[in-house]
Amino acid sequence: MPVIQTPASHGADAPGEPVIVLDGVKKRFGSFTAVERAHFSIDRGEFFAMLGPSGCGKTTTLKMIAGFEQPSEGRVVLESVDVSRTPPYKRNVNTVFQQYALFPHMTVAENVAFGPKSKKVPKSEYTRRVAEMLEVVRLGDFAHRRPTQLSGGQQQRVALARALVNYPSALLLDEPLAALDLKLREAMQFELKRIQREVGITFVFVTHDQGEALTMSDRIAVMNEGRVEQIGTPEDIYHRPASLFVASFIGTANLLPGELAGRDGDDVLVRLEAGGTIRASGGGTSVDDVGARPEGSPVSVMLRPERLLVSNEPTGAGISDGRRLSGTVEDLVFQGAAARLSLRLADGTDVITHVGTDTDLPFLRPGDTVEVTWQPGAAFVLPGWPPRAGASSTDVDQIEAAL
Amino acid sequence: MSSPTSTRGHIARWALNIYAGLGLLFLFVPIIWIVAFSFNQPRGNYNIVWQRFTLDNWRDPFSDQGLTQAFVRSLQIAAISTSVAVVLGSMIALALARYSFKGSGPLNFLLVLPLTTPEIVLGSSLATLFLDWDITRGFTTVVIAHIMFQVSFVALTVRARVRGFDWTLEQAAQDLGSSPFRTFWKVTFPLILPGILAAALLSFALSIDDFIITLFNAGSLSTFPIYIDGSFRVRFPPQVNVLATTILVFSVLLMSIGLLWGLRSRRRNA
């Protein structure tokens, strides 16, 4: 595999230093605000995802970094230079478009050579770079084909090579996997990660697919209705969401509404609407500092399905009161590695858990009463109440349909 | 096996073929006639009764000086007016397809207007304008008149081609560091070139062909159609057929090249 010498890998540009800074960036279209004061930075060498439902402003943000849109307020800073008003062809970032936008009248090699030629790179230099990039994306044998003679996955890799050959400060990817079928999409997730490791260039990735974002990213910015709701590692976002939106958008979450009943160190006590009091962590960590709110404030407890333990005997010793719920079995669906168990709490709230198919509970039937417990720290408190109590699945299509 | 239905179907198909053949014949007999009579040796001034086959006319296509002059003049007019109209019309088409701006609705309407307005109205009103402004009618006024209606044809033809154009290709080019100027010449232009060439061919033919509008604005100038019309009163030399056939062969040739080119690039991109 060729070693790529990128400007990014030289001396003073240490990894961890910000490549892109969005400084209070706002974008309005008429009276509609597409992006609301985005304020974050993306570090060198990072695989950074902007995740959210369609219309959340992620693509507009990407376009402002690329230069196809200009911020109404704030600054876009690239390599310490304010590029807010710089046209796209003078910015050292390159984009992989959703539908790839390959030039149909050029061969694969000509497509890849387009960037360096535009930048007046000498021929000997760009032929070498083109060959090198086609090797990186494993399309060396396809140099003289036309884009229309390639499969979707191959076209995508041409788009990648074409965007990387300029050695950009950052590569911007706009839903790059959306046009591929499911199998290819999964393969390309790993392919993208491999290519990113190989070239060491910062990747900024826009997607509405939380699975993609969790699998590939070093950090994720979750966006909703123009606002950045949370920025963090996949673990942060999954286990310590900053808002109900993040909790329900990423993975499946059981969201149980209640009111604040007290504080105990970093934990808070929540009196559930469904009955009982639960001890939850996160009182001091979430953005709004839920624990500092007055008693009786509306809060919700988030329980991830895979962290719940189900038993059909009364709970043994050692499980204190704040970590237990009881419910009746509604449905058990076999899903291969695990089974998906739907429970109903006393007040009718639906809760979903995952149980290993071989280990526990072979004889669960609808109507059985079971106990649900969890390890300390698995329950997480969030401000506010969800629109609907109980399990929220992350059916992206469903969310999109609702928007 | 021939059931009654299939026999009837057979007859129906034959009837349809004959009908279609007659239709084509109706379209092509005048053209065949023109071509055939370019090989006729006429008696007297009128080449309208078949005498005998000869190649003399083709050996000397430019023997009629007036006709030749008019023919060359028509080619000059067509070349100039087409060049101008293609540039203007393509720019209008790009602007219309690319941007939605105030007045793009009315502009669309104005584009169709010259196509739907009777030529007699266009020709006479333009002539009135030239008279009013004391402009001597001649070569320049004919060129202006031709550009006037050609622009519409070019704009509409090119726009049809540009309508399916993927504008993210331009974004992609700029994203890769290509200036707007380079982007146009390296990406946009090559991709819409077939549309522009088709528009150029069409408007060139329209210019060579035009009679009514030209007649009003030509003054004492004789173009190819005007000369033929004028000479028809006294004589009809076979060179008319020869030159007409030349134009015909030339345009069929261009069309075939265009067709082959299109087929080739479609196969290449398939």
Side-chain angles (χ1 to χ4, degrees):
Chain A
M1 223 25 84
V3 175
I4 313 297
Q5 276 294 309
T6 71
S9 60
H10 289 308
D13 304 325
E17 165 219 4
V19 178
I20 298 166
V21 178
L22 298 186
D23 180 13
V25 167
K26 197 170 186 175
K27 180 66 186 179
R28 276 186 302 265
F29 294 106
S31 61
F32 171 71
T33 305
V35 177
E36 190 82 72
R37 272 193 51 77
H39 200 93
F40 57 89
S41 58
I42 299 167
D43 294 340
R44 192 174 305 287
E46 208 176 13
F47 202 120
F48 188 90
M50 292 194 277
L51 171 68
S54 59
C56 73
K58 55 189 192 300
T59 300
T60 308
T61 307
L62 196 78
K63 282 184 176 169
M64 286 192 283
I65 299 173
F68 298 122
E69 298 285 358
Q70 274 158 15
S72 316
E73 277 173 35
R75 299 184 308 151
V76 176
V77 179
L78 180 68
E79 304 272 13
S80 314
V81 179
D82 182 356
V83 294
S84 308
R85 301 278 172 259
T86 309
Y89 57 95
K90 289 183 182 162
R91 296 186 188 198
N92 193 26
V93 290
N94 288 130
T95 308
V96 173
F97 291 84
Q98 190 169 353
Q99 304 292 335
Y100 319 135
L102 300 178
F103 306 126
H105 58 302
M106 300 180 194
T107 64
V108 167
E110 285 165 352
N111 263 280
V112 179
F114 188 86
K117 274 189 191 170
S118 302
K119 299 195 167 183
K120 307 223 161 51
V121 174
K123 184 165 189 210
S124 58
E125 164 73 3
Y126 75 67
T127 25
R128 185 186 64 76
R129 276 210 237 162
V130 167
E132 175 187 85
M133 271 307 155
L134 287 178
E135 276 314 307
V136 170
V137 299
R138 297 174 176 163
L139 280 177
D141 298 338
F142 294 83
H144 301 295
R145 298 265 186 102
R146 300 236 163 203
T148 42
Q149 296 170 318
L150 303 180
S151 71
Q154 290 168 333
Q155 289 184 22
Q156 155 132 72
R157 283 183 281 156
V158 176
L160 267 168
R162 187 179 70 172
L164 286 169
V165 75
N166 279 337
Y167 302 150
S169 298
L171 182 75
L172 312 178
L173 303 105
D174 182 12
E175 301 266 7
L177 306 179
L180 303 176
D181 60 43
L182 185 66
K183 273 232 168 108
L184 200 53
R185 207 180 305 161
E186 282 170 2
M188 277 310 291
Q189 289 183 7
F190 293 102
E191 187 73 357
L192 275 177
K193 274 301 267 188
R194 176 187 69 78
I195 291 169
Q196 198 242 351
R197 272 197 304 273
E198 212 163 287
V199 297
I201 288 173
T202 310
F203 276 35
V204 183
F205 178 87
V206 156
T207 182
H208 67 272
D209 183 328
Q210 40 113 7
E212 259 172 42
L214 290 174
T215 313
M216 296 197 280
S217 324
D218 297 318
R219 283 196 306 153
I220 302 173
V222 185
M223 296 184 70
N224 185 33
E225 292 176 347
R227 280 186 320 277
V228 177
E229 298 252 338
Q230 185 175 10
I231 297 178
T233 63
E235 289 81 10
D236 268 344
I237 290 199
Y238 188 76
H239 292 303
R240 292 173 290 281
S243 67
L244 286 168
F245 173 81
V246 176
S248 57
F249 190 72
I250 314 286
T252 307
N254 296 300
L255 297 170
L256 306 176
E259 56 184 35
L260 206 59
R263 185 162 189 175
D264 182 10
D266 280 342
D267 291 349
V268 294
L269 299 173
V270 179
R271 199 177 306 117
L272 293 185
E273 291 292 293
T277 300
I278 280 184
R279 171 186 291 269
S281 63
T285 56
S286 71
V287 184
D288 289 311
D289 195 8
V290 183
R293 296 188 173 196
E295 275 187 29
S297 301
V299 292
S300 300
V301 171
M302 179 193 79
L303 290 164
R304 292 290 186 192
E306 69 281 3
R307 300 189 75 176
L308 298 179
L309 308 165
V310 180
S311 63
N312 48 6
E313 309 135 26
T315 323
I319 304 283
S320 71
D321 226 3
R323 288 190 274 124
R324 194 175 65 185
L325 287 169
S326 68
T328 53
V329 175
E330 277 288 301
D331 194 16
L332 187 66
V333 182
F334 175 73
Q335 286 183 324
R340 183 175 182 273
L341 176 64
S342 307
L343 303 174
R344 181 157 290 177
L345 304 185
D347 71 333
T349 308
D350 288 316
V351 167
I352 286 171
T353 78
H354 296 158
V355 290
T357 45
D358 52 346
T359 49
D360 6 31
L361 310 164
F363 299 122
L364 280 181
R365 279 196 209 95
D368 289 353
T369 302
V370 290
E371 289 271 294
V372 180
T373 59
W374 54 88
Q375 294 296 314
F380 193 82
V381 69
L382 290 164
W385 280 10
R388 204 171 62 84
S392 75
S393 77
T394 21
D395 191 351
V396 173
D397 297 327
Q398 201 180 315
I399 292 168
E400 300 219 312
L403 281 167
Chain B
M1 209 182 94
S2 74
S3 67
T5 8
S6 83
T7 312
R8 217 182 303 150
H10 208 62
I11 293 170
R13 199 167 315 131
W14 266 105
L16 191 65
N17 283 345
I18 290 168
Y19 178 69
L22 284 175
L24 285 177
L25 207 64
F26 177 74
L27 286 177
F28 287 112
V29 159
I31 295 175
I32 295 166
W33 197 267
I34 293 274
V35 177
F37 271 75
S38 71
F39 297 102
N40 185 28
Q41 190 168 56
R43 185 181 295 168
N45 282 337
Y46 285 92
N47 177 29
I48 45 175
V49 181
W50 184 261
Q51 304 293 330
R52 62 189 187 83
F53 181 86
T54 177
L55 287 172
D56 286 352
N57 310 325
W58 282 93
R59 240 172 249 133
D60 196 9
F62 302 117
S63 65
D64 189 318
Q65 217 180 357
L67 182 69
T68 306
Q69 263 176 18
F71 183 66
V72 171
R73 199 167 291 128
S74 269
L75 289 180
Q76 287 169 339
I77 291 169
I80 296 172
S81 65
T82 302
S83 314
V84 177
V86 162
V87 173
L88 289 179
S90 303
M91 281 161 71
I92 294 174
L94 278 170
L96 279 175
R98 188 88 215 249
Y99 311 102
S100 68
F101 49 92
K102 264 187 205 155
S104 64
L107 184 55
N108 263 315
F109 175 71
L110 286 176
L111 274 184
V112 185
L113 210 56
L115 309 186
T116 51
T117 311
E119 284 199 41
I120 183 95
V121 177
L122 284 180
S124 59
S125 54
L126 197 58
T128 321
L129 191 75
F130 288 138
L131 281 175
D132 270 356
W133 288 357
D134 247 349
I135 296 169
T136 319
R137 285 168 299 158
F139 190 87
T140 315
T141 51
V142 170
V143 169
I144 292 172
H146 284 198
I147 291 172
M148 177 189 69
F149 64 79
Q150 281 175 319
V151 163
S152 286
F153 278 97
V154 174
L156 292 173
T157 315
V158 175
R159 194 180 60 170
R161 172 84 191 184
V162 167
R163 200 166 257 167
F165 190 78
D166 179 6
W167 296 106
T168 53
L169 292 178
E170 283 195 343
Q171 287 197 346
Q174 296 207 20
D175 185 77
L176 292 166
S178 174
S179 66
F181 182 79
R182 188 185 140 87
T183 300
F184 179 78
W185 288 111
K186 293 287 176 184
V187 176
T188 319
F189 182 72
L191 288 172
I192 63 172
L193 185 60
I196 292 179
L197 286 180
L201 278 181
L202 180 68
S203 51
F204 195 88
L206 286 171
S207 170
I208 295 265
D209 190 58
D210 187 73
F211 182 72
I212 301 174
I213 296 176
T214 311
L215 189 65
F216 273 100
N217 296 287
S220 59
L221 189 83
S222 248
T223 64
F224 189 56
I226 290 176
Y227 185 86
I228 292 173
D229 175 68
S231 70
F232 195 62
R233 284 154 233 257
V234 282
R235 50 196 215 87
F236 195 75
Q239 273 71 26
V240 170
N241 299 57
V242 171
L243 291 184
T245 306
T246 310
I247 294 176
L248 177 75
V249 169
F250 189 66
S251 42
V252 167
L253 214 65
L254 278 180
M255 254 162 48
S256 318
I257 291 171
L259 206 66
L260 284 175
W261 188 37
L263 276 178
R264 200 180 66 130
S265 66
R266 204 172 315 152
R267 205 174 311 136
R268 209 171 38 187
N269 291 336

